[in-house]
Amino acid sequence: MELFWRKGYEGTSLSDLTETLGITRPSLYAAFGNKEVLFRTVLKRYEANVVTYRRKALNAHSAYAVARELLEGAANLFGDESKPAGCLGVQGALACGEDAEPVRQELVANRSAGERALRQRLKRAKTEGDLPADSNPASLARFLSAVVYGMAVLSAGGASHKELLQVTELALRIWSQES
Amino acid sequence: MELFWRKGYEGTSLSDLTETLGITRPSLYAAFGNKEVLFRTVLKRYEANVVTYRRKALNAHSAYAVARELLEGAANLFGDESKPAGCLGVQGALACGEDAEPVRQELVANRSAGERALRQRLKRAKTEGDLPADSNPASLARFLSAVVYGMAVLSAGGASHKELLQVTELALRIWSQES
DNA sequence: GATATTCTATACTGATTGGTATATATCCTC
DNA sequence: GAGGATATATACCAATCAGTATAGAATATC
């Protein structure tokens, strides 16, 4: 996971994988199928075990709390120096050659699913009166997703945890007035 | 440029380049040196001829106008369907193998330079009273950069021009109160 | 119009890509 | 302890990677 996370799908070679796993090539293929299904397996694991802040955020009690948990959770993850910088779901395959196109599509679908879940949570918040009647949950979900992606890029460029938290703080100012 | 833009540095092969340029391999090397210096040349051209909105934004007369020009300019560029989706400066090499590491570093430095220029413009705005005395230009510049990068990722995932403009609109709400 | 020079085209380099065939060793079951 | 299944290790595969040597063609200079 750390290899794909740091170097992306295309940038990670089978030799990289077998060397750091201490596993021979045929063993890797017997265990995981091929490079692409290994990546998909890794992505599931990443979603389940690493991106834990999203589920936590979606379960928060207010729209503001959802946004805060999401952004701060992202800042905490991306700013964690014990882990690779950035986000596997973004830099795993943002742009790539034809061979990796299915993987790119998978990541696009993965991000879209995250945006959809957030949108639905904010829609609920609107019906519950937790967001103003003139608010746009879809737009808001997209904005929050964009800030998360933006922090991922900042992180990949070397931004610190503190710097990411400042971005979070500014993004949350949207709530200081009606939204 | 469109090849590197769409497929990234690693995802673009020399065969891709020579085929679409209608040029043979030795001609390409005679003209540009090698793949890496070609990419750097392309990046310069991209900055000069494509990312025109940044210079326009930095020359705007107020801090709010700077932010608006920057975000709307990015939305317009990323949403332009006659061009590849996303941003070369982001998806050119966000994560990659060792071979492409110098190119990744170049893009990191390139983004940092953009953030720095924006920060300095906002600092000036603060001294001119165009931003509140308790505002943080560095933080604000990083936030705006993050939103631009986030829109680039959204665009790479297929977001429309309209959707990107909605992100812009929300990000600008920070100005609706003191910032 | 001959000579020098630049440009291009074909073919090739060694290295690396993802992926496997085959053979050997280990382990589990009976 | 014999037999069968599973796992590993070595060696290999064709294809592609970035980059180049060499030879031929076009062009410019004198």
Side-chain angles (χ1 to χ4, degrees), chain B residues 82-125:
Chain B
S82 73
K83 298 190 179 67
C87 173
L88 175 63
V90 173
Q91 68 207 28
L94 189 55
C96 59
E98 284 97 356
D99 294 351
E101 188 61 21
V103 169
R104 194 188 71 87
Q105 293 284 355
E106 167 92 16
L107 291 185
V108 168
N110 188 60
R111 290 196 298 269
S112 293
E115 295 164 24
R116 187 171 54 248
L118 185 56
R119 183 173 65 241
Q120 288 169 345
R121 176 63 185 85
L122 295 180
K123 260 187 192 165
R124 204 187 86 198

Side-chain angles (χ1 to χ4, degrees), chain A residues 75-109:
Chain A
N76 291 338
L77 172 59
F78 300 154
D80 184 347
E81 297 190 5
S82 73
K83 297 189 178 68
C87 173
L88 175 63
V90 173
Q91 68 207 28
L94 190 54
C96 60
E98 283 97 357
D99 293 352
E101 187 62 21
V103 169
R104 194 188 70 88
Q105 293 285 356
E106 167 93 15
L107 290 185
V108 169

Side-chain angles (χ1 to χ4, degrees), chain B residues 59-93:
Chain B
N59 288 333
H61 43 290
S62 72
Y64 174 78
V66 168
R68 200 172 59 81
E69 291 284 351
L70 186 80
L71 295 176
E72 286 183 359
N76 291 339
L77 172 59
F78 300 154
D80 184 346
E81 297 190 5
S82 73
K83 298 190 179 67
C87 173
L88 175 63
V90 173
Q91 68 207 28

